Amino acid sequence: MRQVGFVFFLLVLFSCQKTSPSLCDSDKELKDIASFPIGTTEDDVVANWTTAIGGKYFNRITSENVLKMDRLAQSPDSFDFFPLAKMSREANNAGYEALHVHTVIWHKQLPQWISNYPSQELDDVLTRYCREYAKAISQTELIRITGIDVVNEALNEDGTYRNNLWFQSMGRNYILKAFREFSSLDPNFKLFYNDFNLALNPIKLDAALDLCDWLRSQGVRVDGIGTQMHINIHEPSANDLAQAFEKIISRGYEVHVSELDISINPYNKIEASSDKLLQQQAEKFHEVFRLYSELPKKYQYGITLWGIGDGDSWIPTEFKRFDAPLVFDQNYSKKPAYCSCLRALEK
Ligand code: XIL
């Protein structure tokens, strides 16, 4: 009798110890299931790369901050690309297969010296910086670099050119000059124009496409468009997303969903998340992944999430509000959004 009792006790014990079921139906990870690269960023948050965790879920990493001009251009004539070498080694160690370079020419995160630099001499700085950047990329061996955001955010919402310091010096030719320096690289390094609100604002998307067509007409290479995709649970609609993707590919450009995060608090009205909001967020992530996965393969450069855990997102710091826009929570546990992305790709 005692033995029967012991066996019963063991049975109860084992059934209690059964590992808690995974939140997702599938035990596979995003990178294992996707037919296109799945990217993330973690360079600033996990500054000590030995703790990098994304290689388990993602197969490509984008440089969130370490390859911006303020980190690489110490003075007008000394550029140091050591951060690229360091990142490529450490991303490889962390299990990533590929690296996307973000971003060469932008109007933010510039070195301090540039604000006092004579405008008429910026032309020369831009050319030399891009030339050396391209060389450093072509010499990177420790990880496969698949693409480069050559120019970031050159347009206003009304489709006009942003009046940044590059534009003030060279007009729109600064964009052409930058792409020209990268155009002779091996075509396996895809060249991107990257900007935000493209799925929300058709005027801006049309302007981006016209800009890229103009660049091509000038004989430089532009392979694709990065649609940053800092969006929220309310918009853009599935229809807007589908139309934006369709428009980009119909003009012959690859699509990179390059900085995906989906805000649950775009109007700064709440201070915590709820099951309902997480569900709405999961549905919007599902839409993005489903619509993207339906594009012809040759236009799919991949989807990149702008960070891993909610605690690492740039949004709360940048916009000074509570948010939880990513697919892992603060403790790097999977959120419903992670599972919905998986489900969107499983079909
Ligand atoms: C953000 C980074 O995520 C932050 O860590 C940094 O403080 C500011 O820049 N569009 C871009 C990215 O192209 O480079 C920005 O990244 C987010 C908006």
Side-chain angles (χ1 to χ4, degrees), residues 64-65 68 102 106 109 152-153 228 230 259 306 314:
E64 183 172 1
N65 289 296
K68 289 173 177 170
H102 173 83
W106 193 26
Q109 293 179 269
N152 197 31
E153 302 181 352
Q228 291 186 7
H230 299 294
E259 302 182 16
W306 208 236
W314 70 299

Side-chain angles (χ1 to χ4, degrees), residues 110-122:
L110 290 166
Q112 263 181 350
W113 56 261
I114 216 164
S115 48
N116 307 317
Y117 202 70
S119 180
Q120 66 279 13
E121 287 171 39
L122 276 179

Side-chain angles (χ1 to χ4, degrees), residues 39-41 227-232 236 241 245 256-263 284-289 292 302-308 313-315 325-327 341:
T40 190
T41 63
T227 64
Q228 291 186 7
M229 216 59 95
H230 299 294
I231 59 175
N232 65 68
L241 282 165
F245 290 157
H256 182 198
V257 171
S258 55
E259 302 182 16
L260 177 61
D261 45 33
I262 302 186
S263 166
K284 192 54 86 186
F285 267 106
H286 189 274
E287 268 170 28
V288 175
F289 271 69
Y292 190 84
I303 295 182
T304 300
L305 285 113
W306 208 236
I308 301 177
S313 166
W314 70 299
I315 289 184
L326 294 167
V327 299
C341 295

